[in-house]
């Protein structure tokens, strides 16, 4: 065991059992998975992405590139690529290593590592171009995906819930280290709401490795948590910083099998970033061997978790902080084999302290290489030569079981940069620091460079490493110093290009430990400075964020609102088959027991033609247009003439866009001089209201007219068929039937309910649409069903509705039209008010292109064979072998009433081609011959309407 | 800690008119972003009248929309937190004091949010969206941490 007898913030009275790769271990409450593994002497935790090299735990925090494990909480709860350093230990935790076969200790694919000399940067681009077309997609990519790639995505649906919370705060503090806690205390004292979040399970940041600071930390946190205006969010990562201080936080909750995560969307008046700094690794051969660790991480393991990650410790140091870490491990009981000081000399005070402690410091030394298999057993130390590389000829071996790397510090400016803040290069600190801000944001602590001292500049630290073999800079993507040098030699100059070519910094850690080294190496190869090379872009998310957090509760039935019309429940009881129309669920047909769709639709259609059908039309959009200028407003918007429409009369209205193409249609009824009941298509309800409201407010503000959506207020029941009046009349009160012709509207009572009754038809039969308040619609429907029983009243769905209207040649906007169809194309010129001075789209209709005789026009199409249907969307061609499309099929149905299939289509110059034969292309056969006919197949004179 | 209650049906009329004409209807016209027991401000020149409307003296639009909305009433100290599950507005007392009323969203549903008193919040939602809204609220309610 490497667990210390005392010390740390773990609770030794609360042991927790967990398993890793099937072996059982014990840790303590307060551990992370990484600290618990180290306490059990487990350093080997994973295999690398490309070369399958054995990898250990590099860090103690969010930047971890190696210790990526699979956490398995059961079916659907398997989480790949979890950073062991960020997983709090819980009882029964099941973790597995990834990317190894057959086992972690013996991985066959590690043989790839033997060939690593040929697997360098750009390897994929260069190698897998042949043989043959599609070689990459069909052959190489699947193979490489099996070999490389990290964790396995879970296959089962995620049973956990994910919440969302919008929050507002006067101050949001990101990061609860000393600077963040101080900022939160200050903000709380000033009053107002404060949110303090930290990605770790425990607040304190660097203080957690400073036992002397713990009493004050406890007092500060107690003060914050006692303040009701302060919200404390542990295990919460601020991962995205958007415009106007809109910051997204991903919170991982305690209950593992309940509410799993919560996405916080915070709008803060001021944001304080206290995101700290990350320690830089040092590039040398074999720096990825298990047991090579960031120096400050080792200090945290010793002081925060009471774990000694090695007993015989060496350190390679480019920064003063490496000494504090080394001394802390010595204090915890480790033997210090040597400190390799990469600088010419360490500060005198540190050297004196090292001497006092009996720690051997080798000045101006570097690491030639490391020894060991699955864990480091020693290193070769050598004086650095003129080019910065250690001189292998003068190397001496040093035995160790832990090698610390103290490469200096990189302030975490990710979020500041996401917020479009400018970064500035601080030459003294050798780091990019926050510069000019674009948001109300303050950076404090190490992320602003506060409290950081300069060390060996990163370019000097990396100098000479480009020629060292297997010196890794991006351990997650297996990018070496040689890969960077190769990319530069091959002509890549932009750091963005070098990044993409080598994949440096493109793994899930987004280069937290590798980007600065990559910059330093490119700078060295090009002979430029780091700021001249520039910086890659920081993008959200700061750390990987689960899909669940983004999806929140918008899944399953709540993925999108499912809108049900007032008669939905009745249709469900009848066994209706539904189809989605926008967000609505509409009954498509009502099959009898054992009845196929085709038979049901035929039966429903025939019932309407022969007797009476009943249909739920409630989803139709409805807009009440009211005001003394209502008629004038409609006159200016729709193509039709409205001023002379009598009260109690209806008209089929057509609405264009400014470009002259059909936008929507629907019946409009005039209820009073100043009141119109406008209907729209089901799908067009919202956009038509928005368009009309836009014109009302911006084009015609002088008109006294207002628009109100009444779509949801009215339930609409359509009765269609020769027996419709017989069913309806006995239930109607207060209507003068003598003055109620086709296209009339009246307010009356139906089945005792105040109603707006329309005499309209979308089927070509005598028809009525009964509008009653939505809550009353089921009762009125029932009354009509009872009254219609004697006539065999038949409920019908949207499919029959489509067939019935197609038999009449009535268009459906969005089916016969596609945004390029004019009124004339659709055969609706008769609607356009010629004498009107203007309407939306009028000017466009006079453009020469709109007047061409060969425009595609609506026609009917009748299959020659009298049996088969053309495909909707099929191209229309003049001869069976023609390759030139002259239009397309827009609708095609079997017509039980006519006894043959029918279709509608748009055909170039179609109205002049009646009687011609055209062909519809087919995806699975010869083109189908069709006769061009008039679009109206049934009762062209409209006698049935007046029945 | 949060009670979600479906409100009984209520009569309402959408009024659109100039503020001067609206004032002729009788009830005091509420200021923007507020509501009274008789009248909810919904937008510029737009109010929802509860109960029987009077007769406006001037050009106006009055439309019965009683069946357009379903109402939900939320009570309890966690109500604002629950609402912030799906509503992005600042609902703290200082930003949304009792008497406030606005149109906003909850998830993907457009709602009218009205706070008649410190302890009560009302949501009016278009009828067909109410099952969606209720399902979201009930799921979020179950996840609300006590306190």
């Amino acid at each position: 065991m490497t667990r210390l007898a005392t010390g740390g913030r773990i609770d030794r009275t609360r042991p927790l059992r967990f398993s890793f790769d099937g072996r059982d271990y014990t840790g303590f409450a307060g551990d992370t998975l990484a600290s618990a593994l180290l306490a059990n002497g487990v350093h080997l935790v994973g295999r690398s992405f490309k070369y399958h090299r054995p990898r250990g735990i590099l860090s103690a925090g969010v930047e971890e590139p190696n210790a990526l494990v699979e956490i398995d909480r059961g079916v659907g709860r398997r989480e790949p690529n979890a950073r062991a350093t960020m997983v709090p230990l819980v009882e029964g935790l099941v973790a597995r290593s990834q990317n190894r076969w057959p086992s972690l200790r013996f991985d066959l694919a590690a043989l790839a590592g033997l060939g690593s000399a040929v697997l360098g940067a750009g390897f994929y681009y260069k190698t897998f171009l042949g043989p043959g077309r599609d070689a990459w997609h069909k052959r190489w990519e699947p193979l490489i995906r099996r070999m490389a790639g990290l964790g396995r995505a879970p296959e089962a649906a995620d049973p956990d819930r994910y919440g969302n919370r919008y929050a507002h705060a006067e101050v949001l503090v990101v990061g609860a280290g000393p600077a963040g806690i101080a900022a939160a205390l200050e903000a709380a004292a000033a009053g107002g709401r404060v949110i303090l979040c930290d990605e770790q399970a425990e607040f304190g940041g660097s203080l957690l490795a400073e036992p002397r600071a713990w009493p004050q930390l406890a007092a500060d946190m107690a003060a914050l948590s006692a303040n009701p205006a302060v919200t404390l969010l542990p295990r919460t990562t601020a991962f995205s910083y958007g415009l106007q201080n809109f910051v997204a936080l991903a919170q991982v909750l305690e209950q593992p099998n309940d509410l799993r995560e919560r996405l916080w969307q915070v709008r803060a008046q001021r944001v304080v970033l206290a995101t700290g700094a990350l320690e830089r690794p040092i590039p040398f051969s074999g720096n990825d061997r298990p047991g090579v660790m960031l120096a400050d991480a080792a200090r945290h393991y010793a002081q925060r978790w009471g774990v000694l990650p090695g007993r015989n410790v060496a350190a390679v140091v480019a920064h003063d902080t490496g000494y504090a870490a080394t001394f802390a491990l010595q204090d915890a009981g480790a033997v210090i084999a040597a400190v390799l000081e990469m600088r010419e000399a360490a500060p005198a005070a540190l050297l004196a302290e090292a001497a006092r402690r009996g720690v051997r410091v080798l000045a101006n030394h570097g690491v030639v290489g490391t020894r060991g298999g699955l864990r480091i057993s020693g290193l070769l130390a050598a004086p650095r030569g003129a080019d910065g590389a250690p001189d292998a000829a003068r190397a001496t071996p040093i035995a160790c079981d832990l090698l610390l790397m103290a490469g200096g510090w990189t302030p975490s400016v990710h979020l500041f940069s996401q917020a479009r803040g400018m970064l500035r290069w601080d030459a003294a600190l050798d780091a990019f620091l926050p510069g000019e801000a674009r948001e109300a944001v303050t950076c404090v602590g190490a992320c602003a460079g506060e409290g950081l001292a300069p060390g060996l500049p990163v370019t000097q630290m990396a100098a000479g490493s480009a020629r060292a073999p297997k010196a890794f800079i991006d351990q997650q993507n297996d990018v070496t110093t040689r890969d960077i040098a190769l990319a530069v030699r091959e002509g890549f100059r932009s750091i963005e290009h070098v990044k993409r070519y080598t994949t440096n910094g493109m793994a899930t850690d987004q280069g937290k430990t590798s980007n600065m080294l990559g910059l330093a190496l490119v700078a060295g190869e090009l002979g430029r400075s780091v700021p001249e090379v520039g910086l890659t872009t920081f993008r959200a998310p700061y750390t990987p964020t689960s899909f669940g957090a983004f999806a929140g509760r918008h899944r399953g039935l709540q993925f999108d609102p499912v809108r049900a019309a007032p008669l939905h429940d009745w249709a469900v009881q009848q066994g209706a088959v539904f189809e989605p129309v926008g967000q609505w669920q509409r009954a498509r047909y009502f099959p009898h027991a054992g009845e196929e769709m085709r038979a049901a639709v035929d039966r429903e259609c025939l019932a309407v033609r022969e007797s009476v059908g009943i249909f739920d039309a409630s989803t139709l959009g409805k807009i009440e247009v009211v005001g003394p200028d209502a008629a004038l407003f409609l006159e200016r918007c729709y193509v039709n003439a409205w001023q002379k429409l009598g009260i109690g009369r209806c008209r089929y209205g057509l609405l264009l866009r400014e470009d002259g193409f059909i936008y929507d249609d629907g019946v409009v009824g005039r209820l009073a001089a100043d009141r119109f009941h406008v209907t729209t298509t089901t799908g067009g309800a919202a956009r038509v209201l928005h368009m009309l409201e836009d014109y009302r407010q911006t084009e015609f503000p002088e008109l006294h007219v207002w628009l109100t959506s009444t779509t949801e207020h009215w339930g609409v029941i359509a009765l269609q068929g020769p027996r419709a009046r017989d069913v309806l009349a006995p239930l109607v009160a207060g209507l003068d039937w003598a003055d109620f012709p086709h296209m009339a509207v009246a307010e009356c009572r139906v089945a005792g309910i105040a109603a707006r009754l329309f005499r309209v038809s979308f089927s070509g039969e005598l028809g009525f649409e009964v509008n009653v308040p939505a809550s009353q619609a089921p009762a009125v429907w029932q009354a009509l069903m009872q009254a219609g029983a004697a006539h065999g009243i038949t409920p019908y769905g949207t499919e029959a509705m489509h067939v019935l209207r197609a038999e009449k040649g009535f268009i459906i906007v969005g089916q016969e039209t596609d945004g390029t169809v004019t009124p004339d194309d659709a055969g609706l010129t008769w609607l356009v008010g010629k004498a009107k001075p203007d309407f939306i789209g009028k000017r466009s209709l006079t453009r020469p292109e709109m007047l061409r005789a060969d425009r595609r026009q609506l026609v009917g199409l009748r299959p020659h064979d009298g049996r088969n249907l053309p495909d909707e969307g099929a191209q229309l061609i003049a001869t069976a072998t023609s390759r030139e499309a002259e239009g397309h099929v827009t609708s095609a149905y079997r017509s039980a009433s006519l006894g043959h299939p029918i279709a509608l289509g748009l055909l170039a110059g179609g109205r002049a081609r009646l009687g011609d034969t055209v062909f519809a292309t087919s995806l699975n056969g010869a083109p189908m011959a069709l006769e061009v006919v008039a679009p109206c197949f049934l009762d062209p004179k409209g006698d049935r309407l007046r029945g | 800690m949060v009670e979600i209650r479906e409100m009984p049906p209520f009569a309402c009329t959408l009024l659109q008119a100039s503020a001067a004409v609206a004032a002729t209807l009788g009830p005091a016209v509420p200021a923007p972003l507020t509501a009274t027991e008789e009248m909810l401000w919904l937008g510029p020149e737009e109010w929802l009248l509860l109960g029987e409307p009077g007769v406006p003296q001037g050009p106006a639009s009055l439309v019965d929309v009683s069946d357009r909305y379903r109402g939900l009433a939320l009570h309890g100290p966690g109500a604002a937190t629950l609402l912030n599950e799906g509503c992005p507005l600042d609902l703290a007392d200082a930003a949304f004091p009792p008497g406030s009323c606005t149109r906003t969203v909850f998830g993907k549903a457009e709602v009218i949010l009205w706070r008649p008193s410190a302890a009560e919040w009302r949501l009016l939602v278009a009828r067909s969206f109410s099952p969606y809204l209720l399902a979201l609220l009930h799921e979020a309610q179950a996840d609300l941490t006590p306190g």
Side-chain angles (χ1 to χ4, degrees), chain A residues 666-695:
Chain A
V667 168
V668 178
R670 189 167 200 172
L671 299 162
D674 61 352
R675 187 174 294 257
F676 290 80
H677 179 118
V678 175
T679 65
T680 74
T681 58
T682 293
R687 65 167 185 259
V688 169
L689 180 65
H690 289 158
M691 173 175 162
L692 295 180
E693 191 65 49
D694 188 0
Y695 276 91

Side-chain angles (χ1 to χ4, degrees), chain A residues 431-446:
Chain A
F432 285 103
L433 292 179
E436 189 188 335
R438 299 281 166 82
E439 295 279 353
V441 58
T442 313
C443 295
V444 297

Side-chain angles (χ1 to χ4, degrees), chain A residues 693-754:
Chain A
E693 191 65 49
D694 188 0
Y695 276 91
R696 187 187 79 86
Q697 293 187 23
T698 63
E699 301 295 325
F700 315 132
E702 75 283 4
L703 299 186
H704 288 299
V705 62
W706 294 274
L707 313 171
T708 304
S709 169
T710 52
T711 302
E712 299 258 18
H713 175 72
W714 296 109
V716 184
I717 304 166
L719 278 178
Q720 303 276 308
R723 300 274 79 80
R725 190 194 284 111
D726 301 338
V727 174
L728 181 63
L731 296 174
V732 174
L735 177 72
D736 179 6
W737 284 98
D739 183 29
F740 200 61
H742 180 57
M743 298 304 270
V745 59
E747 292 182 282
C748 58
R749 298 187 89 78
V750 176
I753 307 296

Side-chain angles (χ1 to χ4, degrees), chain A residues 411-435:
Chain A
S412 291
V413 294
H414 308 67
L415 290 175
F416 181 81
S417 181
Q418 280 185 28
R420 301 166 304 135
M422 305 302 287
L423 300 178
R424 62 180 180 85
W425 175 254
D426 185 308
L429 271 184
D430 192 47
F432 285 103
L433 292 179

Side-chain angles (χ1 to χ4, degrees), chain A residues 388-478:
Chain A
D391 181 0
R394 294 155 66 195
T396 49
I398 296 173
C400 66
D401 63 358
L402 183 72
L403 173 55
L404 308 183
M405 294 186 287
W409 295 87
T410 299
S412 291
V413 294
H414 308 67
L415 290 175
F416 181 81
S417 181
Q418 280 185 28
R420 301 166 304 135
M422 305 302 287
L423 300 178
R424 62 180 180 85
W425 175 254
D426 185 308
L429 271 184
D430 192 47
F432 285 103
L433 292 179
E436 189 188 335
R438 299 281 166 82
E439 295 279 353
V441 58
T442 313
C443 295
V444 297
C447 77
E450 293 165 13
L452 293 183
L456 183 65
V458 65
T459 46
Q460 292 179 37
M461 184 173 84
S465 69
R467 269 147 291 283
K470 296 192 180 66
F472 286 86
I473 58 169
D474 184 332
Q475 299 207 16
Q476 199 182 341
N477 264 356
D478 269 354

Side-chain angles (χ1 to χ4, degrees), chain A residues 556-897:
Chain A
L557 284 174
Q558 270 89 261
F559 175 68
D560 204 40
V562 176
R563 302 176 70 185
L567 298 158
H568 183 85
D569 291 348
W570 184 87
V572 170
Q573 285 165 21
Q574 300 301 307
V577 175
F578 289 85
E579 67 170 342
V581 180
Q583 290 171 324
W584 292 101
Q585 285 289 315
R586 299 194 72 183
R588 193 172 184 200
Y589 57 98
F590 293 83
H592 288 168
E595 196 178 36
E596 297 287 330
M597 173 172 166
R598 186 175 161 183
V601 173
D602 284 355
R603 176 178 50 74
E604 292 172 12
C605 289
L606 289 171
V608 172
R609 293 275 176 244
E610 291 165 5
S611 178
V612 60
I614 185 168
F615 176 72
D616 179 4
S618 302
T619 62
L620 277 183
K622 294 169 276 291
I623 302 167
E624 194 126 323
V625 179
V626 181
D629 294 323
L632 181 56
F633 175 74
L634 291 176
E635 188 91 3
R636 291 183 185 180
C637 293
Y638 281 73
V639 304
N640 321 65
W642 299 101
Q643 306 259 42
K644 289 184 183 145
L645 180 67
I647 293 167
R649 293 294 179 265
C650 301
R651 187 162 285 169
Y652 170 62
L654 196 63
L655 184 66
L656 310 184
R657 303 182 310 210
E658 286 287 10
D659 58 15
F661 296 123
I662 293 173
Y663 191 59
D664 204 78
D665 67 352
V667 168
V668 178
R670 189 167 200 172
L671 299 162
D674 61 352
R675 187 174 294 257
F676 290 80
H677 179 118
V678 175
T679 65
T680 74
T681 58
T682 293
R687 65 167 185 259
V688 169
L689 180 65
H690 289 158
M691 173 175 162
L692 295 180
E693 191 65 49
D694 188 0
Y695 276 91
R696 187 187 79 86
Q697 293 187 23
T698 63
E699 301 295 325
F700 315 132
E702 75 283 4
L703 299 186
H704 288 299
V705 62
W706 294 274
L707 313 171
T708 304
S709 169
T710 52
T711 302
E712 299 258 18
H713 175 72
W714 296 109
V716 184
I717 304 166
L719 278 178
Q720 303 276 308
R723 300 274 79 80
R725 190 194 284 111
D726 301 338
V727 174
L728 181 63
L731 296 174
V732 174
L735 177 72
D736 179 6
W737 284 98
D739 183 29
F740 200 61
H742 180 57
M743 298 304 270
V745 59
E747 292 182 282
C748 58
R749 298 187 89 78
V750 176
I753 307 296
R756 284 183 183 170
L757 183 61
F758 288 75
R759 181 168 168 188
V760 290
S761 174
F762 198 41
S763 66
E765 300 298 327
L766 171 67
F768 302 91
E769 288 183 1
V770 184
N771 285 246
V772 290
S775 60
Q776 309 296 325
V780 174
W781 179 279
Q782 289 294 353
L784 290 165
M785 286 295 291
Q786 277 174 22
H791 302 281
I793 191 167
T794 300
Y796 66 99
T798 51
E799 190 66 23
M801 179 266 280
H802 282 134
V803 176
L804 294 165
R805 65 88 202 176
E807 289 168 348
K808 285 294 295 178
F810 295 153
I811 65 164
I812 284 184
V813 170
Q815 189 154 345
E816 271 64 44
T817 73
D818 58 3
T820 67
V821 175
T822 67
D824 187 61
D825 297 343
L828 298 172
T829 301
W830 58 276
L831 287 173
V832 180
K834 298 285 186 303
K836 286 171 59 166
D838 202 3
F839 56 84
I840 298 170
K842 178 179 170 76
R843 182 171 168 277
S844 298
L845 293 181
T846 61
R847 291 172 50 230
E849 185 67 21
M850 304 295 239
L851 302 170
R852 286 170 53 153
D854 63 346
R855 286 189 61 80
R856 293 181 177 184
Q857 295 165 338
L858 183 73
V859 293
L861 299 164
R862 189 169 167 175
H864 277 194
D865 71 4
R867 283 184 292 114
N868 292 308
L869 284 178
D871 293 328
E872 288 182 353
Q875 300 295 331
L876 293 174
I877 49 182
T879 66
T881 55
S882 170
R883 304 286 294 171
E884 191 182 344
E886 298 186 24
H888 68 278
V889 176
T890 57
S891 299
Y893 305 97
R894 301 183 189 282
S895 168
S897 308

Side-chain angles (χ1 to χ4, degrees), chain A residues 871 880 920-928:
Chain A
D871 293 328
T921 57
S922 171
L923 291 177
N924 46 17
M928 174 188 286

